[in-house]
Amino acid sequence: MKTIATAYLATGIAFLIVDAIWLSTMADMLYRPLMGDKLAPQFHLAPAIVFYLIYVAGIVFFAVMPALDGGGLAKAALNGAVLGLVAYATYDLTNQATLKDWPLAVTLADIPWGAFVTVVGASAGFLVASRLG
């Protein structure tokens, strides 16, 4: 149980830091110019917290724990990349298919971003848990 908790904490910290940098940088460069009034005037913290709690659990379950069972860092990174690609593609492509004005540029930026940030989180979670867990 200590290993899972360690993996969860390390994964969450890494994911949150890197994602916060991306969001704070890209909000005014990508999202606001392309999405304009589709964005909420104020950030809604509660849904964001729930997302991070659930998504980090998914990273630990699907990427970190299997890598700790065998396969090492490469497995954590690969599984993280696949999870991030699938999760972010699901979100963006569903929006692309169902919303009137979902910008293609957002989809094209978000999907590789999701893969990358999930790799970072999974890799950090694996590295810390394999040493401290």
Side-chain angles (χ1 to χ4, degrees):
M1 192 59 137
K2 179 185 172 198
T3 302
I4 294 171
T6 300
Y8 187 88
L9 188 60
T11 300
I13 290 169
F15 186 89
L16 184 60
I17 289 170
V18 175
D19 204 37
I21 292 168
W22 167 265
L23 291 173
S24 64
T25 302
M26 299 306 288
D28 289 330
M29 292 175 52
L30 176 69
Y31 299 109
R32 204 165 313 287
L34 292 175
M35 299 178 71
D37 62 354
K38 289 183 200 87
L39 293 177
Q42 291 184 329
F43 181 73
H44 301 290
L45 187 58
I49 290 170
V50 173
F51 163 75
Y52 283 109
L53 292 172
I54 292 169
Y55 195 70
V56 168
I59 297 169
V60 171
F61 184 83
F62 290 111
V64 178
M65 295 312 293
L68 289 169
D69 288 340
L73 180 60
K75 186 170 189 173
L78 176 62
N79 288 1
V82 172
L83 175 62
L85 178 85
V86 170
Y88 280 66
T90 299
Y91 170 77
D92 282 290
L93 294 172
T94 298
N95 287 340
Q96 196 81 55
T98 61
L99 300 179
K100 281 194 284 187
D101 296 319
W102 185 262
L104 178 61
V106 170
T107 298
L108 295 176
D110 271 357
I111 294 172
W113 172 251
F116 173 77
V117 71
T118 307
V119 166
V120 170
S123 298
F126 170 80
L127 289 170
V128 172
S130 67
R131 286 172 176 75
L132 301 178

